[in-house]
Amino acid sequence: MDNDKLVIAGIEFKSRLWIGTGKYASFEETRRAVEASGADVVTVAVRRVNITDRTKENLLDVLDPKVYKILPNTAGCYTAEDAIRTARLAREAGVSDMVKLEVIGDPKTLFPDNEGLLEATRALVGEGFLVFPYTNDDPIMARKLEDAGAVAVMPLAAPIGSGLGIRNPYNLRIILETVKVPVIVDAGVGTASDAAVAMELGCEAVLMNTGIAGAKHPILMAEAMKHAIWAGRMAYRAGRIPRKLYATASSPLEGLIE
C-alpha cells in the first residue's frame, strides 16, 4: 500500500479519512479524535467555528495548520453568494485556498441546492480556489461539477448526520464511472462498516463528522474508522470474488479417490 497515494490537484494526502470538527464536547476532544483517526485533513465550518480571529479561543490552537491540512467549509450557506463570500473570508484570513463548498437548499434535509452549488463552483474556480463540492448522489451533477473545474466531487451517502450508511451504492458506482476526478463520500456514515463499504466501491476517501463526534466513545470510534478505511481500500485493490448464486467448493475436487 506504500505506493497507493491520494493526490488531488498536485497535493498529496497521507490519509483517506477526512474529519469534520463539529459536535465535539471540546477542542481537546476534537484534537484527540483527529489524532486517533490518523487524518491529515480537517474540515472547519467558517461560519460556525472561530478560525479567523486569532485573538479569541481558536480551533487552530489545537490543530496546527503546519501538521494538518485545514479545509474550510461553507456549512450554513443557503445561497451561492453567501458561500462565495465565506470562502473568500477563509482565504483572506490565510486559512487555505481549498474549500469544501456547501450550498444548502433545504434546512430540514440539508440536501444541496444544485443550481447554487454549480454557480458557486464556477465562480470560485475562476478565482483560483481548489473546490471540493458537497453534492447529491447525482451522476449528471457530478459531471457538471467536474466540467466546472472542481478538483473532486463529494456526493452524500445519506443525509448529513443521519448515520444511515451507504444508501446509494449503485449511484456512487455510476458516479465513479462518470467522472475522472476523485470521488469522496461525504455525509451519512454511521459506523466503521459504512466507511469500509464506501472504500470497497472505489471511492478515494471518506469525510465524516457526526459518525465519530456523536459516538458514545468518539476517540475509540475515530480509531475504528481509521482501520475501516484501510481495510476497505485494501479490499478494493485486492479485488473481491464474484458473487454467485450457488456454492463453489473451496477445496479442489480433482484427484479425489472414489
Side-chain angles (χ1 to χ4, degrees):
M1 296 289 287
D2 288 344
N3 62 348
D4 184 35
K5 305 294 185 182
L6 174 57
V7 180
I8 303 176
I11 302 170
E12 183 174 316
F13 299 88
K14 297 178 181 178
S15 174
R16 294 177 184 271
L17 174 56
W18 295 12
I19 299 293
T21 53
K23 301 185 179 181
Y24 289 97
S26 65
F27 283 166
E28 176 60 19
E29 185 178 68
T30 305
R31 181 191 64 77
R32 292 178 60 208
V34 172
E35 287 182 356
S37 74
D40 65 328
V41 175
V42 291
T43 183
V44 180
V46 178
R47 289 167 59 93
R48 296 173 180 163
V49 178
N50 171 39
I51 58 171
T52 57
D53 186 352
R54 299 296 288 163
T55 66
K56 299 179 181 178
E57 185 181 20
N58 196 299
L59 184 63
L60 301 187
D61 293 331
V62 296
L63 295 176
D64 187 348
K66 295 179 181 178
V67 177
Y68 300 102
K69 296 177 178 67
I70 307 299
L71 178 61
N73 71 55
T74 62
C77 294
Y78 285 82
T79 66
E81 293 79 8
D82 200 7
I84 292 167
R85 187 183 309 112
T86 301
R88 288 170 177 165
L89 175 64
R91 183 162 73 175
E92 288 169 6
V95 179
S96 181
D97 290 329
M98 300 190 297
V99 60
K100 180 198 166 190
L101 182 61
E102 298 183 28
V103 181
I104 301 301
D106 174 62
K108 183 176 181 179
T109 64
L110 299 181
F111 285 149
D113 176 346
N114 284 337
E115 291 181 0
L117 180 66
L118 191 57
E119 177 187 345
T121 297
R122 288 171 174 152
L124 291 173
V125 167
E127 294 181 16
F129 281 88
L130 302 177
V131 179
F132 295 76
Y134 160 69
T135 180
N136 288 314
D137 57 323
D138 179 352
I140 305 305
M141 179 52 58
R143 185 176 63 201
K144 288 182 177 181
L145 291 166
E146 179 183 39
D147 291 344
V151 296
V153 293
M154 304 183 72
L156 54 82
I160 291 175
S162 67
L164 289 173
I166 311 299
R167 297 294 87 195
N168 48 15
Y170 302 107
N171 279 28
L172 291 178
R173 286 177 59 183
I174 295 171
I175 291 173
L176 287 162
E177 294 176 0
T178 300
V179 301
K180 295 182 175 63
V181 295
V183 176
I184 302 171
V185 163
D186 181 13
V189 169
T191 191
S193 57
D194 301 332
V197 168
M199 299 305 295
E200 288 172 4
L201 288 170
C203 297
E204 293 286 356
V206 178
L207 191 153
M208 64 185 75
N209 187 177
T210 308
I212 295 175
K216 291 182 179 179
H217 302 286
I219 313 307
L220 186 59
M221 184 60 83
E223 188 168 357
M225 292 295 190
K226 175 177 68 175
H227 295 300
I229 292 290
W230 270 100
R233 180 65 180 179
M234 292 169 70
Y236 169 72
R237 293 194 68 199
R240 65 158 293 136
I241 63 171
R243 292 179 172 88
K244 299 179 181 179
L245 183 59
Y246 297 102
T248 301
S250 57
S251 300
L253 301 178
E254 292 80 3
L256 294 178
I257 299 175
E258 298 183 0

